[in-house]
Amino acid sequence: MKKKRWKWFAVLVGAVLAIGGTIAGTSTGESSKKIYGKEPVELSFFLRKRETTHIFETIIERFNQSQDEIVVKTIIVPNPDVELEMHALNGEFPDIVEMIGSSDESIRQYAEGGYLMPLDETGFLDRVGEGYVEYLMMGDEVYILPLSVNFRGLFLNCDLLEGRGSAIPESYGELLNLLEEIRADGEQAIIFPDKDVWTLHQGWDAVYTVEWGSRRDAYCMAAEGLIPLQENQGMVDSLEKFLELRRFGQERSWETGYDEAISIFAQGEAYMFLQGNWAYSAIKKQNPDINMMFIPFPADEGEEPDIYVKLDSSIALSASCEYPEEAAKFVEYLLSEDVMNYYTESSGGYSCIRGGNADLSFAKRFVDKLEKNEFVLETITVPERVNDVRDQGLLKLILGQDETYGIREFLEELDGAVNMRKEEILDDVGWEGPA
């Protein structure tokens, strides 16, 4: 029955396109009324990622203005994870949901709970570029449509660097020398948003992918008892560098939040910002004229950093959507080349949709690798308990208030959390040894 149901949905998508022509076109209100003869259908779109909220709002506004048949309304709440759970429990799962990544534990829970529509036979996945769909399988189905990937690294204010005659650092040693020089001149070298605990692991991610590589392999080797995290030299080295960088940050970095850090960097009050490319849109929103570059975290002398990416925003459709035809029409609009170009240029993400990339010259070193498929897509579902241990442990390291708690103690604690959930982690990735 399920296969027949979604074959019907695929036929329905084709019918929508045949009736509507190009989705971004200008169907008149008169023709709409002849087809529908009623008030516009309302679809709910639940947004979860605050950096892209304003981008989706613009896309939705343009879609609503482009035709008279459908009105998409956003749901924006302060705590989207909790609110989405409440919607599900109350039988009010939104028609369209923005998911974040492929490794969010909640995606699997919603799929297994029957809340998400399987997408395999809708035709949408044909629009996805090479190298992504295989990682999205949950059982025999795909439930999310990936829009973009993100990557972690180092934002640089090019005007500030040029003003002091400094070059872009090509190695970790050059980076340290540059940070020392900036600090010696009494200027703010790098800014950290440590008050928001969720940002801590993202900065560490930028460093450890250079030192070690895949979190997937590190966690799986720890879960198998092959290399405990505290004995993984790459993990140890990455934490040493991650903490060393804080010598050049602001005092009491744990009192600076993400929004404040964005503002400080955007206004040219700090030379560098260790984050992910998702911060691009927020920085540009505050200072559209900023001249900045985003580079992979520099490796040691003579080494080339590998590029690791993670799925960022993706779209899921409700299995109980009352208006699947209209939902399909909105998704087609979203995947159109013009819209995806706007999305990637505004968000700074790299499109998973064919033909969807606009100007991403600010992150050229990443894009060059992505265009050549010279990247590793990091996919692993890490249980929330493990992530909680990681984030709280990183905060303790940053605070430095416990003399008995250092890098080894942190990794031992994290290793214990991984082993407590090892079956979950290993089953999720089907791990058969290092990639």
Side-chain angles (χ1 to χ4, degrees):
M1 285 298 292
K2 183 169 68 173
K3 291 294 183 184
K4 289 182 179 179
R5 179 183 176 189
W6 300 120
K7 285 181 180 177
W8 170 83
F9 182 80
V11 171
L12 194 55
V13 172
V16 170
L17 296 179
I19 293 172
T22 56
I23 296 304
T26 56
S27 60
T28 65
E30 185 62 32
S31 62
S32 302
K33 290 174 185 176
K34 287 181 180 178
I35 296 171
Y36 285 80
K38 57 182 180 181
E39 292 296 314
V41 165
E42 289 190 5
L43 295 172
S44 57
F45 191 170
F46 192 97
L47 299 179
R48 299 178 72 185
K49 186 175 180 182
R50 63 177 180 167
E51 289 91 348
T52 54
T53 294
H54 66 288
I55 300 170
F56 276 119
E57 285 182 315
T58 298
I59 292 171
I60 291 166
E61 181 181 1
R62 291 174 181 176
F63 173 76
N64 288 341
Q65 292 177 350
S66 73
Q67 44 71 56
D68 300 318
E69 305 159 2
I70 306 163
V71 174
V72 178
K73 294 189 174 182
T74 58
I75 301 175
I76 302 170
V77 293
N79 194 335
D81 294 345
V82 174
E83 289 284 348
L84 187 58
E85 290 180 10
M86 295 302 299
H87 276 76
L89 292 173
N90 292 332
E92 301 172 348
F93 201 78
D95 299 306
I96 308 161
V97 179
E98 178 189 21
M99 296 294 186
I100 301 176
S102 65
S103 57
D104 185 340
E105 193 176 4
S106 67
I107 296 176
R108 182 174 299 279
Q109 292 171 346
Y110 288 128
E112 292 176 349
Y115 294 101
L116 305 184
M117 175 188 295
L119 302 177
D120 302 66
E121 298 186 27
T122 63
F124 295 143
L125 298 179
D126 295 339
R127 309 283 288 277
V128 178
E130 183 181 353
Y132 298 109
V133 172
E134 61 196 84
Y135 291 99
L136 306 178
M137 299 293 294
M138 294 184 184
D140 297 327
E141 304 281 6
V142 175
Y143 295 92
I144 61 172
L145 182 63
L147 297 183
S148 62
V149 291
N150 61 41
F151 27 91
R152 286 112 169 106
L154 190 63
F155 283 98
L156 304 171
N157 187 309
C158 297
D159 286 339
L160 291 181
L161 290 176
E162 290 171 7
R164 63 181 296 111
S166 299
I168 304 298
E170 300 295 338
S171 69
Y172 182 65
E174 290 184 13
L175 173 63
L176 282 186
N177 290 336
L178 177 57
L179 291 168
E180 291 278 13
E181 292 171 5
I182 296 171
R183 186 177 65 169
D185 290 338
E187 297 183 273
Q188 185 66 62
I190 189 168
I191 191 74
F192 294 104
D194 294 338
K195 183 178 180 180
D196 292 302
V197 177
W198 55 267
T199 68
L200 294 176
H201 76 271
Q202 295 162 346
W204 182 33
D205 285 353
V207 182
Y208 83 64
T209 52
V210 172
E211 288 296 326
W212 165 251
S214 169
R215 178 177 57 163
R216 170 186 177 275
D217 287 347
Y219 279 21
C220 288
M221 292 176 77
E224 287 280 27
L226 299 176
I227 304 180
L229 294 180
Q230 63 270 25
E231 296 178 15
N232 184 322
Q233 194 57 46
M235 301 290 275
V236 173
D237 291 346
S238 68
L239 283 164
E240 289 177 349
K241 290 182 176 179
F242 179 61
L243 296 177
E244 184 175 35
L245 292 175
R246 275 163 174 72
R247 295 196 294 115
F248 309 100
Q250 75 277 27
E251 293 184 7
R252 303 178 68 84
S253 62
W254 52 88
E255 294 181 354
T256 302
Y258 180 75
D259 293 336
E260 184 182 357
I262 289 282
S263 178
I264 289 170
F265 180 77
Q267 300 308 319
E269 298 173 21
Y271 280 72
M272 305 178 197
F273 185 37
L274 184 68
Q275 256 296 309
N277 65 303
W278 54 81
Y280 171 82
S281 60
I283 295 169
K284 291 290 284 187
K285 188 176 181 180
Q286 292 213 21
N287 183 2
D289 299 322
I290 189 172
N291 178 17
M292 64 179 170
M293 180 182 293
F294 188 58
I295 65 171
F297 189 80
D300 289 329
E301 189 72 38
E303 297 181 7
E304 179 74 15
D306 293 325
I307 302 301
Y308 285 80
V309 303
K310 296 181 182 180
L311 286 178
D312 198 348
S313 286
S314 55
I315 297 298
L317 299 178
S318 170
S320 59
C321 179
E322 188 176 352
Y323 303 105
E325 178 180 350
E326 287 77 6
K329 187 169 185 178
F330 173 73
V331 172
E332 283 291 342
Y333 176 86
L334 180 60
L335 300 185
S336 66
E337 185 172 337
D338 286 347
V339 173
M340 283 305 301
N341 269 267
Y342 167 76
Y343 174 82
T344 54
E345 187 170 9
S346 301
S347 68
Y350 185 87
S351 175
C352 299
I353 305 301
R354 300 179 192 275
N357 278 307
D359 179 17
L360 297 175
S361 55
F362 80 97
K364 186 177 185 304
R365 298 187 187 189
F366 288 97
V367 172
D368 287 347
K369 295 281 189 179
L370 285 160
E371 288 180 343
K372 297 174 184 176
N373 283 332
E374 296 177 357
F375 66 92
V376 177
L377 183 63
E378 181 77 279
T379 56
I380 178 173
T381 300
V382 180
E384 290 183 12
R385 172 56 185 157
V386 177
N387 286 337
D388 289 343
V389 170
R390 175 203 60 196
D391 293 346
Q392 294 303 318
L394 286 173
L395 181 59
K396 286 176 68 175
L397 287 177
I398 297 302
L399 292 173
Q401 296 174 344
D402 185 349
E403 295 181 358
T404 67
Y405 190 86
I407 290 174
R408 183 174 183 84
E409 287 72 25
F410 164 68
L411 289 176
E412 286 177 347
E413 193 173 64
L414 184 58
D415 187 79
V418 167
N419 275 275
M420 287 288 289
R421 307 297 289 273
K422 66 180 182 180
E423 287 83 6
E424 230 174 300
I425 293 172
L426 294 172
D427 289 348
D428 174 68
V429 300
W431 196 75
E432 297 177 354

PDB file of all heavy atoms in Angstrom, residues 43 45 82 95 99 103 111 125 162 187 241 253 282 291 315 320 342 346 349 351 363 374 394 419:
ATOM      1  N   LEU A  43      -0.392  26.276   3.971  1.00  0.00           N
ATOM      2  CA  LEU A  43       0.596  25.288   4.379  1.00  0.00           C
ATOM      3  C   LEU A  43       1.446  25.868   5.495  1.00  0.00           C
ATOM      4  O   LEU A  43       1.801  27.052   5.454  1.00  0.00           O
ATOM      5  CB  LEU A  43       1.503  24.909   3.213  1.00  0.00           C
ATOM      6  CG  LEU A  43       0.873  24.197   2.022  1.00  0.00           C
ATOM      7  CD1 LEU A  43       1.903  24.073   0.888  1.00  0.00           C
ATOM      8  CD2 LEU A  43       0.363  22.824   2.415  1.00  0.00           C
ATOM      9  N   PHE A  45       5.021  25.969   7.532  1.00  0.00           N
ATOM     10  CA  PHE A  45       6.450  25.689   7.335  1.00  0.00           C
ATOM     11  C   PHE A  45       7.149  25.991   8.655  1.00  0.00           C
ATOM     12  O   PHE A  45       7.242  27.137   9.078  1.00  0.00           O
ATOM     13  CB  PHE A  45       6.994  26.571   6.213  1.00  0.00           C
ATOM     14  CG  PHE A  45       8.384  26.208   5.738  1.00  0.00           C
ATOM     15  CD1 PHE A  45       8.905  26.788   4.596  1.00  0.00           C
ATOM     16  CD2 PHE A  45       9.185  25.295   6.410  1.00  0.00           C
ATOM     17  CE1 PHE A  45      10.178  26.471   4.135  1.00  0.00           C
ATOM     18  CE2 PHE A  45      10.454  24.970   5.974  1.00  0.00           C
ATOM     19  CZ  PHE A  45      10.959  25.558   4.829  1.00  0.00           C
ATOM     20  N   VAL A  82      11.924  21.581  21.053  1.00  0.00           N
ATOM     21  CA  VAL A  82      10.862  21.213  21.985  1.00  0.00           C
ATOM     22  C   VAL A  82       9.490  21.442  21.363  1.00  0.00           C
ATOM     23  O   VAL A  82       8.582  20.609  21.476  1.00  0.00           O
ATOM     24  CB  VAL A  82      10.997  22.017  23.302  1.00  0.00           C
ATOM     25  CG1 VAL A  82       9.805  21.755  24.212  1.00  0.00           C
ATOM     26  CG2 VAL A  82      12.292  21.655  24.011  1.00  0.00           C
ATOM     27  N   ASP A  95       3.212  20.920   7.974  1.00  0.00           N
ATOM     28  CA  ASP A  95       3.234  20.371   6.614  1.00  0.00           C
ATOM     29  C   ASP A  95       4.654  20.237   6.081  1.00  0.00           C
ATOM     30  O   ASP A  95       5.004  19.253   5.432  1.00  0.00           O
ATOM     31  CB  ASP A  95       2.429  21.271   5.680  1.00  0.00           C
ATOM     32  CG  ASP A  95       0.976  21.365   6.089  1.00  0.00           C
ATOM     33  OD1 ASP A  95       0.340  20.303   6.237  1.00  0.00           O
ATOM     34  OD2 ASP A  95       0.492  22.492   6.281  1.00  0.00           O
ATOM     35  N   MET A  99      14.707  20.628   8.653  1.00  0.00           N
ATOM     36  CA  MET A  99      15.553  19.795   9.480  1.00  0.00           C
ATOM     37  C   MET A  99      16.989  20.318   9.375  1.00  0.00           C
ATOM     38  O   MET A  99      17.334  21.006   8.411  1.00  0.00           O
ATOM     39  CB  MET A  99      15.492  18.336   9.049  1.00  0.00           C
ATOM     40  CG  MET A  99      14.122  17.703   9.218  1.00  0.00           C
ATOM     41  SD  MET A  99      13.649  17.573  10.970  1.00  0.00           S
ATOM     42  CE  MET A  99      12.111  16.652  10.845  1.00  0.00           C
ATOM     43  N   SER A 103      22.285  13.910  10.677  1.00  0.00           N
ATOM     44  CA  SER A 103      22.657  13.124  11.851  1.00  0.00           C
ATOM     45  C   SER A 103      21.913  13.558  13.108  1.00  0.00           C
ATOM     46  O   SER A 103      22.256  13.137  14.197  1.00  0.00           O
ATOM     47  CB  SER A 103      24.173  13.247  12.086  1.00  0.00           C
ATOM     48  OG  SER A 103      24.558  14.595  12.233  1.00  0.00           O
ATOM     49  N   ALA A 111      10.984   9.901  11.660  1.00  0.00           N
ATOM     50  CA  ALA A 111      10.772   8.963  10.551  1.00  0.00           C
ATOM     51  C   ALA A 111      10.193   7.653  11.067  1.00  0.00           C
ATOM     52  O   ALA A 111       9.196   7.140  10.532  1.00  0.00           O
ATOM     53  CB  ALA A 111      12.084   8.722   9.809  1.00  0.00           C
ATOM     54  N   LEU A 125      14.396  13.656  -5.287  1.00  0.00           N
ATOM     55  CA  LEU A 125      15.783  13.246  -5.047  1.00  0.00           C
ATOM     56  C   LEU A 125      16.617  13.234  -6.320  1.00  0.00           C
ATOM     57  O   LEU A 125      17.849  13.241  -6.263  1.00  0.00           O
ATOM     58  CB  LEU A 125      15.809  11.864  -4.381  1.00  0.00           C
ATOM     59  CG  LEU A 125      15.142  11.789  -3.007  1.00  0.00           C
ATOM     60  CD1 LEU A 125      15.211  10.374  -2.458  1.00  0.00           C
ATOM     61  CD2 LEU A 125      15.790  12.757  -2.022  1.00  0.00           C
ATOM     62  N   GLU A 162      45.054  43.406   5.482  1.00  0.00           N
ATOM     63  CA  GLU A 162      45.752  44.211   4.489  1.00  0.00           C
ATOM     64  C   GLU A 162      46.263  45.515   5.105  1.00  0.00           C
ATOM     65  O   GLU A 162      47.340  46.010   4.740  1.00  0.00           O
ATOM     66  CB  GLU A 162      44.817  44.514   3.314  1.00  0.00           C
ATOM     67  CG  GLU A 162      44.501  43.279   2.466  1.00  0.00           C
ATOM     68  CD  GLU A 162      43.409  43.539   1.445  1.00  0.00           C
ATOM     69  OE1 GLU A 162      42.989  44.716   1.306  1.00  0.00           O
ATOM     70  OE2 GLU A 162      42.947  42.570   0.805  1.00  0.00           O
ATOM     71  N   GLU A 187      45.509  44.810  19.786  1.00  0.00           N
ATOM     72  CA  GLU A 187      44.250  44.669  19.060  1.00  0.00           C
ATOM     73  C   GLU A 187      43.613  43.303  19.355  1.00  0.00           C
ATOM     74  O   GLU A 187      44.279  42.379  19.814  1.00  0.00           O
ATOM     75  CB  GLU A 187      44.488  44.827  17.559  1.00  0.00           C
ATOM     76  CG  GLU A 187      45.007  46.202  17.163  1.00  0.00           C
ATOM     77  CD  GLU A 187      45.168  46.333  15.660  1.00  0.00           C
ATOM     78  OE1 GLU A 187      46.246  45.966  15.147  1.00  0.00           O
ATOM     79  OE2 GLU A 187      44.210  46.789  15.005  1.00  0.00           O
ATOM     80  N   LYS A 241      45.289  22.699  20.625  1.00  0.00           N
ATOM     81  CA  LYS A 241      45.255  23.878  19.751  1.00  0.00           C
ATOM     82  C   LYS A 241      43.998  24.704  20.002  1.00  0.00           C
ATOM     83  O   LYS A 241      44.048  25.941  20.026  1.00  0.00           O
ATOM     84  CB  LYS A 241      45.335  23.440  18.292  1.00  0.00           C
ATOM     85  CG  LYS A 241      46.685  22.879  17.896  1.00  0.00           C
ATOM     86  CD  LYS A 241      46.734  22.488  16.428  1.00  0.00           C
ATOM     87  CE  LYS A 241      48.146  22.012  16.047  1.00  0.00           C
ATOM     88  NZ  LYS A 241      48.234  21.604  14.634  1.00  0.00           N
ATOM     89  N   SER A 253      35.828  34.982  27.865  1.00  0.00           N
ATOM     90  CA  SER A 253      35.093  34.697  26.625  1.00  0.00           C
ATOM     91  C   SER A 253      33.748  34.050  26.890  1.00  0.00           C
ATOM     92  O   SER A 253      32.830  34.145  26.060  1.00  0.00           O
ATOM     93  CB  SER A 253      35.936  33.787  25.722  1.00  0.00           C
ATOM     94  OG  SER A 253      36.187  32.536  26.355  1.00  0.00           O
ATOM     95  N   ALA A 282      24.661  36.001   8.880  1.00  0.00           N
ATOM     96  CA  ALA A 282      24.479  36.920  10.010  1.00  0.00           C
ATOM     97  C   ALA A 282      25.510  38.042   9.972  1.00  0.00           C
ATOM     98  O   ALA A 282      25.199  39.202  10.298  1.00  0.00           O
ATOM     99  CB  ALA A 282      24.592  36.150  11.327  1.00  0.00           C
ATOM    100  N   ASN A 291      34.684  42.957   3.936  1.00  0.00           N
ATOM    101  CA  ASN A 291      35.570  42.214   3.039  1.00  0.00           C
ATOM    102  C   ASN A 291      36.189  41.081   3.854  1.00  0.00           C
ATOM    103  O   ASN A 291      37.120  41.302   4.632  1.00  0.00           O
ATOM    104  CB  ASN A 291      36.653  43.147   2.483  1.00  0.00           C
ATOM    105  CG  ASN A 291      37.627  42.421   1.573  1.00  0.00           C
ATOM    106  OD1 ASN A 291      37.345  41.322   1.091  1.00  0.00           O
ATOM    107  ND2 ASN A 291      38.779  43.030   1.339  1.00  0.00           N
ATOM    108  N   ILE A 315      14.839  19.590   4.042  1.00  0.00           N
ATOM    109  CA  ILE A 315      13.398  19.745   4.093  1.00  0.00           C
ATOM    110  C   ILE A 315      12.738  18.378   4.268  1.00  0.00           C
ATOM    111  O   ILE A 315      13.121  17.405   3.613  1.00  0.00           O
ATOM    112  CB  ILE A 315      12.871  20.402   2.796  1.00  0.00           C
ATOM    113  CG1 ILE A 315      13.437  21.815   2.651  1.00  0.00           C
ATOM    114  CG2 ILE A 315      11.345  20.443   2.786  1.00  0.00           C
ATOM    115  CD1 ILE A 315      13.037  22.761   3.753  1.00  0.00           C
ATOM    116  N   SER A 320       1.285  13.216   7.113  1.00  0.00           N
ATOM    117  CA  SER A 320      -0.153  13.457   7.254  1.00  0.00           C
ATOM    118  C   SER A 320      -0.576  14.775   6.605  1.00  0.00           C
ATOM    119  O   SER A 320      -1.658  15.292   6.911  1.00  0.00           O
ATOM    120  CB  SER A 320      -0.529  13.469   8.738  1.00  0.00           C
ATOM    121  OG  SER A 320       0.206  14.484   9.437  1.00  0.00           O
ATOM    122  N   TYR A 342      19.721  32.115  -4.815  1.00  0.00           N
ATOM    123  CA  TYR A 342      19.504  33.116  -3.766  1.00  0.00           C
ATOM    124  C   TYR A 342      19.791  32.522  -2.393  1.00  0.00           C
ATOM    125  O   TYR A 342      20.449  33.160  -1.551  1.00  0.00           O
ATOM    126  CB  TYR A 342      18.058  33.628  -3.817  1.00  0.00           C
ATOM    127  CG  TYR A 342      17.670  34.427  -2.598  1.00  0.00           C
ATOM    128  CD1 TYR A 342      18.115  35.741  -2.434  1.00  0.00           C
ATOM    129  CD2 TYR A 342      16.891  33.857  -1.587  1.00  0.00           C
ATOM    130  CE1 TYR A 342      17.796  36.468  -1.289  1.00  0.00           C
ATOM    131  CE2 TYR A 342      16.571  34.568  -0.453  1.00  0.00           C
ATOM    132  CZ  TYR A 342      17.020  35.875  -0.307  1.00  0.00           C
ATOM    133  OH  TYR A 342      16.705  36.569   0.832  1.00  0.00           O
ATOM    134  N   SER A 346      22.893  33.823  -0.033  1.00  0.00           N
ATOM    135  CA  SER A 346      22.500  34.494   1.200  1.00  0.00           C
ATOM    136  C   SER A 346      22.982  33.755   2.441  1.00  0.00           C
ATOM    137  O   SER A 346      23.343  34.376   3.443  1.00  0.00           O
ATOM    138  CB  SER A 346      20.975  34.636   1.262  1.00  0.00           C
ATOM    139  OG  SER A 346      20.490  35.379   0.164  1.00  0.00           O
ATOM    140  N   GLY A 349      26.020  28.684   2.319  1.00  0.00           N
ATOM    141  CA  GLY A 349      26.108  27.237   2.236  1.00  0.00           C
ATOM    142  C   GLY A 349      26.390  26.790   0.815  1.00  0.00           C
ATOM    143  O   GLY A 349      26.217  27.553  -0.148  1.00  0.00           O
ATOM    144  N   SER A 351      25.287  24.322  -2.153  1.00  0.00           N
ATOM    145  CA  SER A 351      24.037  23.665  -2.511  1.00  0.00           C
ATOM    146  C   SER A 351      24.219  22.178  -2.797  1.00  0.00           C
ATOM    147  O   SER A 351      25.148  21.772  -3.498  1.00  0.00           O
ATOM    148  CB  SER A 351      23.421  24.342  -3.741  1.00  0.00           C
ATOM    149  OG  SER A 351      22.269  23.647  -4.165  1.00  0.00           O
ATOM    150  N   ALA A 363      34.413  31.762   0.242  1.00  0.00           N
ATOM    151  CA  ALA A 363      34.884  30.479   0.762  1.00  0.00           C
ATOM    152  C   ALA A 363      35.504  29.647  -0.365  1.00  0.00           C
ATOM    153  O   ALA A 363      35.295  28.443  -0.461  1.00  0.00           O
ATOM    154  CB  ALA A 363      33.743  29.717   1.416  1.00  0.00           C
ATOM    155  N   GLU A 374      36.131  16.491  -3.772  1.00  0.00           N
ATOM    156  CA  GLU A 374      37.260  16.157  -2.904  1.00  0.00           C
ATOM    157  C   GLU A 374      36.924  16.566  -1.468  1.00  0.00           C
ATOM    158  O   GLU A 374      37.509  17.474  -0.900  1.00  0.00           O
ATOM    159  CB  GLU A 374      38.531  16.858  -3.390  1.00  0.00           C
ATOM    160  CG  GLU A 374      38.988  16.399  -4.770  1.00  0.00           C
ATOM    161  CD  GLU A 374      40.204  17.165  -5.272  1.00  0.00           C
ATOM    162  OE1 GLU A 374      40.664  18.098  -4.564  1.00  0.00           O
ATOM    163  OE2 GLU A 374      40.676  16.851  -6.374  1.00  0.00           O
ATOM    164  N   LEU A 394      33.520  20.633  27.337  1.00  0.00           N
ATOM    165  CA  LEU A 394      34.256  21.712  26.672  1.00  0.00           C
ATOM    166  C   LEU A 394      34.137  23.012  27.462  1.00  0.00           C
ATOM    167  O   LEU A 394      35.102  23.765  27.579  1.00  0.00           O
ATOM    168  CB  LEU A 394      33.733  21.906  25.240  1.00  0.00           C
ATOM    169  CG  LEU A 394      34.137  20.837  24.220  1.00  0.00           C
ATOM    170  CD1 LEU A 394      33.402  21.058  22.903  1.00  0.00           C
ATOM    171  CD2 LEU A 394      35.648  20.852  23.980  1.00  0.00           C
ATOM    172  N   ASN A 419      30.795   4.937  24.941  1.00  0.00           N
ATOM    173  CA  ASN A 419      30.667   3.506  25.196  1.00  0.00           C
ATOM    174  C   ASN A 419      29.329   3.144  25.824  1.00  0.00           C
ATOM    175  O   ASN A 419      28.839   2.027  25.626  1.00  0.00           O
ATOM    176  CB  ASN A 419      31.829   3.028  26.060  1.00  0.00           C
ATOM    177  CG  ASN A 419      33.054   2.695  25.240  1.00  0.00           C
ATOM    178  OD1 ASN A 419      33.185   1.596  24.721  1.00  0.00           O
ATOM    179  ND2 ASN A 419      33.959   3.664  25.085  1.00  0.00           N
TER     180      ASN A 419
END
